[in-house]
Amino acid sequence: MTDTSDLPGEATPRVATGVPGLDTLLRGGWLRGGTYIITGLPGTGKTILGNQFCFTTVARGEKAIYLTVLAESHSRMVLHLQDMRFFRGDVIGRTLHYESGYAPLKAEGLAGLSKLIFRSVREHGATALVLDGLAAVEERAESRLAYREFLHGLCVHNALAGCTTLLLTGQRSDPADPQFAMVDGVVQLAMEPLGVKSVRSLEVSKFRGGSQMVGRHSFDITDNGLLIYPRVEALYSGQTDRVPELSQRQSFGIPRLDEMLHGGLVRYSSTLVFGSPGSGKTLMCLHFLAEGARRGEPGLYFGFVESPARILNKAELVSLDLRKHVKAGTLHLESRVAVESLPDALVQELFDLVKKHKIQRLVLDGLEPFIQESTDPHRTPRFLTAMTNELRALGVTTLATQQTNTLFGPELNAPLERVEAIIDNILLLRFVELRSQLYRMLSVLKMRESDNDPALRLFSITAEGIDVAETFESAEAILTGQARPVTPGAAKKPRKKQAGGRKRPPKKKRGSA
């Protein structure tokens, strides 16, 4: 019979990492008493991550040790950390202790360093230890066996002491290195080239004793330290229980467009407003937000080109008074500059705004900025699926704009592919040409789980906003981009059918052959 008397009866408690987003990847944080290797090239953020962990530990009333085996002075390190918001100078020397293991390691080798670590943990009652410079320890080891024995002793001692340990080291090219097998987990930091810029990424390649969110995730270094942004498709991988409410419609406040949609968009659905540059996509979305605000449904505009001030001015030019709704708090305008942005960070910010303001109607003015900074173009379908599913789960009806690569013509090329299969509804706005004059045309290409009017209609932008006209007389315009005039009254009355469903031939005019 197997003796299980010494096995833990409860799950090992978790310890917060102090890094926003990292606890999410680790499903709650480090395991208390665990030993973890943090690996990455210089400049990837290892030192900042280690210090965030230490300052977070002392902030909850515990004690921490940051031990270096490098020649760099602690004063220089503290100088570089002073601008970080997590930094607290008053705890240094009291509950957070910076120590150097360089001299003991040089004089006595790994045995001397082990003695220093064990004594410091015991004397200070530390529950967190960061050892910065594991590569230097390996270089000083008498043999590979001595190095592995050092790691094994460190893991066993600190586990018994309840001291969670981070070992910081440079990037290793061999993932099968025995040192990675001896510790409880491995976190890899990297900087990956993307064109002329570099994108920081983090991956939890090993986490013993608990589940973790696998794969690479982007992160940034700010005044708050490291900020991890879990991949949207990994974070929101489940299917939502909420489905589009077929009996409830959300109108645009544009009478003939609402007629085409049989009352408006289905609540909780997603819609792509797809069209040529300048065709009126943003203005149509503003109509949707204004109508929602009028009905008391909180709305959010989240765009990347025009500032809130320009949006308000644009709305006033077409008699849409958005200012009163902004002042009343039923409409919120947000604009971001799509430069060096991270898609996962943008979406997380978007979700936070939706939750904060209890948004029911959302306009994403430009899908491209969400995707264009992604390191993997194959992420697009998964990314958008996860985003739209989560917005539906939050009770949001979403409009997103995407422009075509052509002004007018028979072909419709989009910068983002395979979006059409993900979105519930598609509204197409485009130009047609007739006798050197451009006209705007609207059609409903797709509506899931809802009937609609598929007719093509001209529309115009007037001082009163968007005005949708009657059905256009020739569908050839949408196919060729060149409308042909027809005889007035022609094609308005369908021919009568003969018995059997066949149409009668047209009557011959007198004098015709």
Side-chain angles (χ1 to χ4, degrees):
M1 178 180 294
T2 302
D3 182 11
T4 60
S5 59
D6 59 341
L7 297 180
E10 299 179 356
T12 306
R14 300 284 181 141
V15 178
T17 66
V19 180
L22 185 54
D23 288 342
T24 302
L25 300 185
L26 300 177
R27 309 294 187 184
W30 313 116
L31 297 178
R32 182 173 292 279
T35 299
Y36 304 93
I37 289 181
I38 313 298
T39 177
L41 293 173
T44 52
K46 301 185 300 297
T47 300
I48 296 177
L49 188 153
N51 277 279
Q52 279 183 261
F53 177 50
C54 288
F55 279 98
T56 299
T57 299
V58 300
R60 59 174 177 260
E62 301 178 27
K63 296 181 180 180
I65 300 171
Y66 195 103
L67 190 147
T68 64
V69 292
L70 306 174
E72 179 184 10
S73 66
H74 293 147
S75 60
R76 297 291 298 175
M77 181 185 298
V78 171
L79 179 64
H80 297 152
L81 293 171
Q82 284 181 350
D83 293 333
M84 297 290 177
R85 292 195 177 97
F86 61 77
F87 179 82
R88 289 177 52 196
D90 60 315
V91 301
I92 297 177
R94 298 172 57 190
T95 54
L96 172 56
H97 301 272
Y98 285 92
E99 298 188 11
S100 175
Y102 180 74
L105 178 63
K106 183 178 180 181
E108 304 177 48
L110 272 59
L113 181 61
S114 296
K115 292 178 183 178
L116 172 64
I117 293 174
F118 299 161
R119 184 179 66 251
S120 297
V121 170
R122 182 178 64 255
E123 291 179 352
H124 297 301
T127 58
L129 168 70
V130 174
L131 175 60
D132 193 350
L134 186 62
V137 177
E138 184 178 6
E139 291 174 357
R140 287 283 181 176
E142 297 83 0
S143 64
R144 295 295 298 170
L145 178 59
Y147 178 64
R148 289 196 293 269
E149 289 178 346
F150 166 79
L151 287 179
H152 176 72
L154 182 64
C155 293
V156 171
H157 177 274
N158 286 356
L160 294 174
C163 181
T164 307
T165 304
L166 304 186
L167 308 176
L168 312 187
T169 185
Q171 182 74 38
R172 298 302 301 263
S173 58
D174 184 8
D177 193 300
Q179 66 176 334
F180 295 142
M182 300 181 67
V183 295
D184 298 300
V186 179
V187 177
Q188 297 176 317
L189 306 182
M191 292 183 66
E192 304 170 357
L194 179 62
V196 297
K197 60 175 269 187
S198 294
V199 177
R200 301 179 187 272
S201 66
L202 179 146
E203 180 177 3
V204 182
S205 56
K206 173 185 176 181
F207 194 73
R208 183 183 294 159
S211 63
Q212 77 271 17
M213 197 174 294
V214 298
R216 290 180 298 169
H217 308 268
S218 59
F219 75 93
D220 199 5
I221 298 178
T222 69
D223 291 342
N224 292 315
L226 268 68
L227 299 177
I228 314 296
Y229 305 108
R231 293 193 329 277
V232 172
E233 60 269 33
L235 191 58
Y236 304 100
S237 57
Q239 183 64 266
T240 176
D241 294 332
R242 191 192 298 271
V243 297
E245 185 58 58
L246 304 182
S247 62
Q248 300 181 27
R249 302 281 178 153
Q250 291 178 302
S251 62
F252 281 80
I254 305 174
R256 289 195 179 96
L257 174 58
D258 291 331
E259 290 175 7
M260 296 174 68
L261 301 173
H262 287 203
L265 299 175
V266 175
R267 187 179 293 271
Y268 312 136
S269 65
S270 57
T271 301
L272 180 65
V273 183
F274 186 45
S276 308
S279 57
K281 300 184 297 298
T282 299
L283 185 56
M284 181 168 289
C285 292
L286 295 182
H287 272 277
F288 183 72
L289 291 177
E291 179 66 10
R294 188 182 69 82
R295 294 172 179 266
E297 300 174 356
L300 170 64
Y301 171 90
F302 198 89
F304 300 92
V305 177
E306 297 175 294
S307 65
R310 291 186 63 183
I311 289 296
L312 291 174
N313 291 337
K314 173 181 287 190
E316 288 179 350
L317 293 175
V318 293
S319 302
L320 286 177
D321 188 5
L322 300 184
R323 293 185 187 274
K324 65 179 181 181
H325 300 306
V326 172
K327 292 180 180 179
T330 53
L331 180 59
H332 304 271
L333 306 179
E334 298 286 343
S335 180
R336 301 292 181 269
V337 179
V339 177
E340 302 283 333
S341 58
L342 297 173
D344 298 295
L346 287 173
V347 172
Q348 195 57 59
E349 182 183 11
L350 173 65
F351 290 164
D352 291 341
L353 289 171
V354 167
K355 295 173 184 177
K356 177 181 178 181
H357 301 298
K358 300 180 180 179
I359 298 301
Q360 297 182 30
R361 297 192 181 204
L362 168 67
V363 167
L364 299 178
D365 198 4
L367 276 180
E368 295 88 345
F370 276 103
I371 309 299
Q372 65 185 3
E373 298 291 340
S374 176
T375 56
D376 182 5
H378 300 292
R379 284 188 60 195
T380 299
R382 303 190 302 270
F383 181 91
L384 291 179
T385 298
M387 182 180 73
T388 54
N389 282 345
E390 181 61 16
L391 288 172
R392 181 178 295 118
L394 294 173
V396 178
T397 304
T398 304
L399 264 66
T401 66
Q402 184 185 11
Q403 71 176 23
T404 63
N405 291 329
T406 55
L407 289 175
F408 55 90
E411 296 183 358
L412 294 176
N413 296 320
L416 298 181
E417 299 179 353
R418 295 180 288 175
V419 176
E420 297 81 2
I422 300 170
I423 301 295
D424 297 319
N425 318 309
I426 300 178
L427 302 182
L428 175 62
L429 282 60
R430 63 181 301 180
F431 290 104
V432 295
E433 182 183 7
L434 175 62
R435 295 174 181 170
S436 302
Q437 180 69 39
L438 291 179
Y439 295 87
R440 291 181 171 90
M441 179 170 284
L442 166 68
S443 60
V444 182
L445 290 188
K446 170 185 175 183
M447 279 194 76
R448 277 198 184 122
E449 304 168 327
S450 174
D451 196 7
N452 63 88
D453 182 359
L456 308 176
R457 300 200 184 191
L458 288 172
F459 74 95
S460 58
I461 298 177
T462 70
E464 300 300 321
I466 290 180
D467 181 28
V468 179
E470 297 291 340
T471 302
F472 195 65
E473 295 174 329
S474 174
E476 186 178 1
I478 201 67
L479 300 175
T480 66
Q482 294 179 340
R484 295 181 180 178
V486 297
T487 304
K492 289 186 176 181
K493 294 182 179 181
R495 298 174 185 170
K496 295 182 179 180
K497 295 183 178 180
Q498 294 178 338
R502 300 176 60 187
K503 294 182 180 179
R504 293 179 179 178
K507 294 181 179 181
K508 296 183 179 180
K509 297 181 180 179
R510 292 183 180 180
S512 61

